[in-house]
Amino acid sequence: MPLLQVKDLEVAFEKEHEELVFVDKVNFHVDEGEILCIVGESGCGKSVTALSIMGLLGQQGRVKSGEVLFNGRDLLKLKEKELDQIRGNEIAMVFQDVMNCLNPSFTVGNQMAEAIRIHLGYDKKKTKEHAIQLLEKVGLPDAKAVMKKYPHMLSGGMRQRVMIAMALICRPKLLIADEPTTALDVTIQLQIMKLLLELRDEYHMSILLITHDIGVVAEEADRVVVMYAGQCVEETDVHSLFKKPAHPYTEALLQSVPTIYGDPARKLKSIPGTVPENYQELEGCRFADRCSYATKECYTKQEYHEVEPGHLVRCWKGLLNNDKQ
Amino acid sequence: MEHKGNMQRVTKRFMKHKLAVVSLIFLLIMIILAILAPVIAPYNPNQVSGGFSKPPSMDHLLGTDQIGRDMLSRLLYAMRISLFVGAAATVISTLIGVILGLLSGFIGGVVDSIIMRITDMVMSFPYILLVLVAAAVFEPGLWSIVLILGFVDWPGVARLVRGNVLSIREMNYIKADIAAGMPKRFILFSEILPNTIAPVFVYATQVFAISILDEAALSFLGMGVQPPTASLGNILNGAESITVLTSKFWLWVPAGVLIVLLVISINFVGDALRDALDPSV
Amino acid sequence: MTNNKKPIVVVEGLRKYYPVGNSNTSRARQMVHAVDDVSFEIAEGETLGIVGESGCGKSTIGRQIMALERPNAGKIWYDGQDITAMSESQLRGIRTEFQMIFQDTNSSLNPRKQIYDILATPMLYHKIATKENVKQEVERLLDMVGLAKSSLNKFPHEFSGGQRQRIGIARALSLKPRLLVCDEPVSALDVSVQAQILNLLTSLQEEMNLTYVFIGHGLGAVRYISTRIAVMYLGKIVEIADAKDLFENPQHPYTKALVDASPIPDPNLRDRSRIVISGEIPSPVNPPSGCRYHPRCPYAKEECKKVDMELQVVDSSSSHLCACPFYATNLAKEE
Amino acid sequence: GGKKNDNGVTNAENSATSDVVTIGISDTIGSLNPLLMDGTEVVKYATSFEFLPLVELNKNMEFEGQIASEITTKDNKTFTIKIDPNAVWSDKEPITSKDVLFSFLCWASPEIGSTGMSIYNIEGTGDDGFVEAGSDSISGVVAVDDKTVQITTKTEMALSTFQNIYGRYILIIPEHILGDVPKDQMLSNEWFNAPTVVSGPYIVKDFDLNHYVTYEANENYFKGAPKIKNLSIKVVTPSQLLTGLQSGEIDLVQQTMGNILQEDFESVKKLDNITVYDGTPVTTQSIFFNTEKVTNVKVRQAFLYGMDRNIILQEFLKGKGEIVDGFLASAGPFFDPSIVPVAYDKDKAVQLLEEAKAEGWDPSTEYNFYVNSGDTTFTQVASYLAAQFAEIGLKIKVNTVDLSTLMTVAGSGDFDLLAVQYSYIPVDIFTDANWLLSAGGWTRYQNDEVTKALMDTQVTVDTDKIRESYRIVDSVVQTEVPMINAYVISGLGAKSNRLQNATPDVYGTFLNVQDWEIK
Amino acid sequence: MWKYILKRIAAAIPVLIGITIIDYLIMSRAGSPLAMMHGPKISESAIEVKAAMLGLDKPIYLQYFDWLKQVLTGNLGYSIKSYQPVTSIIGSHIGSTLLLMGTSLLVGLVIAIPAGIYSAIHRYKKRDYTLVTLSFLGTSIPSFFLALIFIYLFTVKLGWLPSSGMITQGTGGDFLDVVKHMIMPVSVLAVSIAGTNIRYVRSAMLEVLQQDYLRTAKAKGIGRFLVINKHALRNAMLPVVTVIGMQIPVLFGGAVIVEQMFSWPGLGLITMNAITSRDYPVIMGVCLLTAVVVLLANLITDIIYAIVDPTIQYR
Ligand SMILES: Nc1ncnc2c1ncn2[C@@H]1O[C@H](COP(=O)(O)OP(=O)(O)OP(=O)(O)O)[C@@H](O)[C@H]1O
Ligand SMILES: Nc1ncnc2c1ncn2[C@@H]1O[C@H](COP(=O)(O)OP(=O)(O)OP(=O)(O)O)[C@@H](O)[C@H]1O
Ligand SMILES: [Mg+2]
Ligand SMILES: [Mg+2]
Ligand code: NI
């Protein structure tokens, strides 16, 4: 049984009095100890998916249907109180925007301590020791001093480390990292990614890593889910994704990334157009209008089907395009 | 030429606030009534046209006041005065505020410091005290009330505009203008000013509401609009007597309710406007 | 290769310091050394990429070249004229020749103006177009950057980020500039759109013989578009070389670390050896003594703490300059 | 008023108040220092609880001795003051001539500079009413013996005038306590805020001039220890007089200190714990013309004929008052009923204006009419008058201003018409009339006949002669119209039924305060 | 921090002087306090003597300097009307004004803060709309009108509460007595304070509720109570603190009317009376005092702000 199984998740937001579905029948699972990457362009629903797993959608958002099975329990059916037992305890989350994710009014120590006390029930002294220990673990020199600092006194990289330390408080089984490095410089990005990998091995946790950087996917992921316009379009292990992408979108995505590796004279392939605005209304493939392989059939409903064991794709052609090359 | 698309968007968002729409309609009706007062008022507001303090009747729909003037007519004229005072004071303070705010934010340096000190000063005047002193000093009359209220409310506008100018000045499109060698006046009047109008407009509605309240309070204290000119505040002044309060409701209920309704409608409209004009949504 | 072309911009000893914090509350003036003694040349028709970590002074250089601010020291010659010595009115005469594209597509267009107004007003002001042909001109520009004519009467918020960036490019091009400073024009965009813009920029360059200064922190994009690349660290240029040269033969330990840190979209390469540099970029208020990189440099020597390293020619090519004389030897020793 | 009173008196106060008698007033108390008397009744009464004047008027408008047992004159120039032999300070020291001399000297000291009244008519003072700085006596004020003082005036003065101004307004203060205080420190002297020695029935315990004064009985009061041990004055808004009376917060409202709103008259009357008293009509609502600006007599007459004073009296004052022409109201000894007030006559007014037009009067003239904004009744009347005058073709612009502004305008003569509530004391019209009808007075009206008639009132003691002189004055006022007496107010006084022996009236309410009692 | 405070105080001094100059100029236009004294009982020359005694015959700027000199020695002069020292007049009334203002502010905030939070949490629901409408009503009712209605209801109709003063006349005024007298004036002021602040708290809260750090806090599973009452509230109070600071002058103004309506023995009534009698040493004293209070309030708000907001550093 996978650690986390998301089944047919459908999330809608209320916008100007109408309900728009931004996450449409999303399916994927995370196995124990693995890193699953979700990639996709901005606005394709990655964060919303992650937030619905945690029950953090907020007021306007609503899960319309689906299941989120964590260790077999459907998180969507839990009450807020029960969810609090799991959040921060068995599932922890790290967010993208490090500048805003820590409360500016409280010290790092304070923000760590409250979670420790609530989940682990330690006394004051033990709480402090635990917090310091964690901060040291994530590679913050002088952890004691950091405890007393307010978030604005820390650099982006340090804040992200603090966030990670907070996530580790209860040795979670699953860490959801929503673009944890996007806002950071490449050198720091590498530090943080290395840290996450080390921690995964040490704590044997699974990581659901959300990113839009194909490079990060290639460097870190075990398996990958590609999302486009609120839907999963492809899911497979990282090697086969790069070797034989089954969905034209995945393929185009891979080719449009400028890289420092390989032939610099290579012309970048760009995907024409933009994500359709009202993709909710589209019947067929949502990528069809931008797809260089599109045919009439693409404008009918597309099934998310398995083309090879463990390789799912939402394109009726499946691996056909690869064969052409 | 404000663009249609934008206006439609604003209108659409405004329309979602039902109370605000109702308020706006109410306000419009009241403004029309006020403007048309000379035409529709059944009597001359200063003319003794009936018995003294007579309850509502067919001749006098809202009764007559203590000296036999028609309450309805007086109320219409009073509303006219109150709305005028509010609007004129708002226009004055907004103009002063916008000009000083623009100068302060755009020129900066010493000019900014001086203007901000003056703003501090005016803001530190216990505001109604200033109004009271000034009202007692300058001969009470319509225009002095307008000027006093106008003078008192500008610092808020100035600060708002200054803040806006400072943040807009950092916008890349201003940098692009400088890079394109566009002249300062273009940047100030064509780029910065239009972008501060919306919040100023919203703020102005608040000033409008406050000015009407202040006029009423001053008139009530006998330092505002002076009789025989009717204003909503000085009509209420007559209700200070408990006897009037208990047994002559027509002398004060309409004026009181009218003030509350006018002010609350203005507030509702302002609130909805804030929502509708918010570019961040 | 670039030496035979005449430089369009020459920057010499450029320094720009900013006071720290709010001027009202701080008493002793502390300064951010945003750009500290930087010199380089840009040849006509080339693309100079500038990379470096956040806050290292890339945009500051861009703003100085655009004459949006006055430097504290140093000179910038544009086409032989010293623009740091010019008055605001003199500058206005040549401003149209260099234009800028901004990173933040949200704030770079006035939200209350239609695209037509945004594009037409400067052209009319500078008499680049007349009242009669301005509409035609605007349409031509839109076409050039790949936007539909119907965009004319729309407002910025009706466009996607990529489209807004295209409008920004159109605005910059409308004044027929020779030099374009692009300050992270693609960092905020999705990869697919990023590629569109990069391709647009390269084709425009060929078409109009433009010179670019391309600021970015994604190495991939910079490498893709630049002919020459300058690597900045804490207000200084640590290495400058032709693009290919820089990536194949990085001389400065910081350049090497940057290259290593950039993820490569090929899972087969994930186990390559990469240098992970520790720590973070220090505060530009009190930059470290000597070589500014020494606290993080795994090869730092005693000397590095004291001597401020100058850019020096690297033997392989005369256009390759680096501010670290030790790196190559160190590396050799280690291996 | 209405039904609520039938539900019984609602008393929000706790029972601790029951032994305190509270007088409600609607004007703030300027000061408790007798030397700072500003002419308001409130200050006069509040201070004279502590320091008695020489004499005081009673209900019947006769002078009753306070400190003095009697004041006499033979020639209207020398006045002999006999001090009550029983009069003692609260420290049992007798009140003597020294105290009277000292008190008069204080009023004449330039270092003190009292502005409540200048005593320039007393021999030995200058035109400003002050003696030389540093003088320790006034030559016109001498002690005959311990209990007799003689005062000489520069010009003749009727006894009633003498008694009214010097007798009533100069409160006698203790020389043996204050004699050594430097004169320039008298006004700011803290002693007056908590006097240790008084001559009156009460002594101040605590006060806040804008809100209240509380008094304690002077057990050694020479006219008998007051039965009520705690008296207090409470300053409230006019509308709160009614609520205060109803709730029991206020026990007594006297006409000149507490101004019960006309609208509330009926309601007060209906209160069943309260007895009301109509005050002697003396306070007049006078409309003064600036005769230098409104020069045409016919126009002034038109104003008089054009106002329906009866309606005003009935509707605005609910009939509480009277209508007279001239200064004298029906109360008092000098009233002459032969002067019949001009009746409302619109046609006559129009005709007068026609005649005025023929004399060159410009009918488009707009007259500036200044009105005290604090007088809520008259602001309404003014609006009514404006409407009435408009009917006969007189344009007036009502300017409602606060009292200070009104006084400034009055002083500068920057007005055409000016309305002021003015109390002409029936026994002493002279002082006010003489000033008002003079070049320096508000009307700027000068008429030798009037001046002579007024002077005549001062040289005789014969009531009939005085009455005749005043008749001349009033009839000139009626025909020449430098002033219109819009109405004479009979104010409403009220008293809680638990309070015995007290009768609120314009004069003399507090003469017997020591006999007041609570049931 | 101390340095900062000193600096702020130093910066406030020119503002203060500016205010007094403007005040003085206005006052000088108001006409002489002696105008009231003209009349039959006084001679013109006596008034001239008095004017000279009070220094009113000097040019206005000299009068101002005299006044300023006096103030610098800690003496605000004497009331022209009662000859009491202005300092003691103010001293004996400021307490009750502050009591009224302080209590009203407190009551207003005690209503506004929970209501604002509640409203924000239940945004766009019926309860939210109701609260917002009520808050608008609170700001839209003229305070004198509300005071009239209260007096009518609670004193005239029901007879529950006394309508004037601060203590029952003649008694020492025990605590309960004062409370009874305070209920109406405090309610009137509190209604408008609460009305204004409900919306400020609400919008500050809405702003904070959208912040990422709240999501972080929730993700830690610390429970809704802590998330709202610790993480959100603390940050939402920041803008509210500033707004409250700015309301102090307005509050002062509101107090004048309310004090007048309820004969509250505070500065408001003193001021009104001083104004009508042109007693300008008193008016100047009150103006100076209120300006100081307002500037102090600004300073204190900034300091509180600095204490609650760690991102602000003072030097
Ligand atoms: N609170 C919200 N209210 C309304 N719409 C929302 C809200 N949150 C997200 N959405 C919408 O849901 C869609 C998906 O957003 P989501 O944040 O999941 O994108 P994402 O893939 O995480 O993008 P990014 O890479 O930019 O983070 C977007 O179109 C966004 O407009
Ligand atoms: N106007 C300014 N006032 C004060 N400091 C400034 C200003 N502009 C830039 N700085 C500081 O100068 C340094 C360099 O800034 P700059 O914007 O040039 O960096 P950058 O390399 O463009 O970084 P990024 O990649 O984040 O855009 C930074 O530390 C920044 O805080
Ligand atoms: Mg996201
Ligand atoms: Mg930058
Ligand atoms: Ni348009």
Side-chain angles (χ1 to χ4, degrees), chain A residues 203-221:
Chain A
Y203 287 77
H204 198 71
M205 53 182 186
S206 310
I207 298 180
L208 174 59
L209 180 67
I210 292 171
T211 180
H212 56 227
D213 188 340
I214 292 290
V216 170
V217 175
E219 303 272 8
E220 319 291 344

Side-chain angles (χ1 to χ4, degrees), chain A residues 46-48 96 178-179 210:
Chain A
K46 307 182 296 287
S47 301
V48 170
Q96 161 181 11
D178 187 356
E179 314 206 15
I210 292 171

Side-chain angles (χ1 to χ4, degrees), chain A residues 41-42 155 158 185-188 190-191 215 218-219 221 239 242 259-262 264 266 268 270-271 273 290, chain C residues 53-54 190-192 196 199 219 223-224 247 258-259 263-270 272 274 277-280:
Chain A
E41 289 179 70
S42 180
S155 70
M158 288 163 91
D185 283 312
V186 272
T187 55
I188 313 296
L190 181 60
Q191 295 171 2
E219 303 272 8
H239 288 281
F242 281 84
T259 162
I260 59 165
Y261 158 80
R266 173 183 69 109
L268 278 187
S270 63
I271 310 175
R290 306 171 74 187
Chain C
E53 283 173 271
S54 178
D190 274 318
V191 266
S192 67
Q196 292 171 3
N199 286 339
L219 287 192
R223 169 172 134 141
Y224 178 71
F247 284 96
L258 266 188
V259 172
I264 296 176
D266 185 347
N268 296 320
L269 294 178
R270 52 161 80 161
R272 71 189 184 281
R274 300 160 85 181
I277 51 169
S278 58
E280 294 173 35

Side-chain angles (χ1 to χ4, degrees), chain C residues 171-222:
Chain C
R171 174 178 56 192
L173 293 178
S174 70
L175 299 177
K176 306 211 159 59
R178 292 165 63 196
L179 172 73
L180 215 50
V181 175
C182 315
D183 191 355
E184 314 205 18
V186 294
S187 301
L189 305 177
D190 274 318
V191 266
S192 67
V193 186
Q194 188 175 335
Q196 292 171 3
I197 299 290
L198 288 176
N199 286 339
L200 172 66
L201 284 174
T202 38
S203 63
L204 285 171
Q205 182 170 37
E206 279 162 25
E207 234 170 85
M208 307 172 71
N209 191 28
L210 292 165
T211 307
Y212 286 155
V213 175
F214 188 94
I215 297 168
H217 56 212
L219 287 192
V222 175

Side-chain angles (χ1 to χ4, degrees), chain A residues 284-301:
Chain A
C285 175
R286 294 177 177 180
F287 185 61
D289 280 340
R290 306 171 74 187
C291 179
S292 48
Y293 309 113
T295 58
K296 210 167 68 235
E297 291 88 334
C298 295
Y299 292 92
T300 57
K301 192 168 172 13

Side-chain angles (χ1 to χ4, degrees), chain B residues 190-201:
Chain B
S190 190
E191 301 277 33
I192 294 183
L193 188 60
N195 276 300
T196 61
I197 286 297
V200 166
F201 200 62

Side-chain angles (χ1 to χ4, degrees), chain A residues 168-217:
Chain A
L168 294 178
I169 284 170
C170 305
R171 291 183 159 256
K173 297 209 182 70
L174 174 65
L175 178 69
I176 301 178
D178 187 356
E179 314 206 15
T181 57
T182 318
L184 304 175
D185 283 312
V186 272
T187 55
I188 313 296
Q189 201 171 323
L190 181 60
Q191 295 171 2
I192 299 287
M193 284 321 307
K194 280 253 138 75
L195 172 68
L196 281 178
L197 289 184
E198 281 165 29
L199 289 170
R200 179 209 25 188
D201 294 342
E202 190 182 334
Y203 287 77
H204 198 71
M205 53 182 186
S206 310
I207 298 180
L208 174 59
L209 180 67
I210 292 171
T211 180
H212 56 227
D213 188 340
I214 292 290
V216 170
V217 175

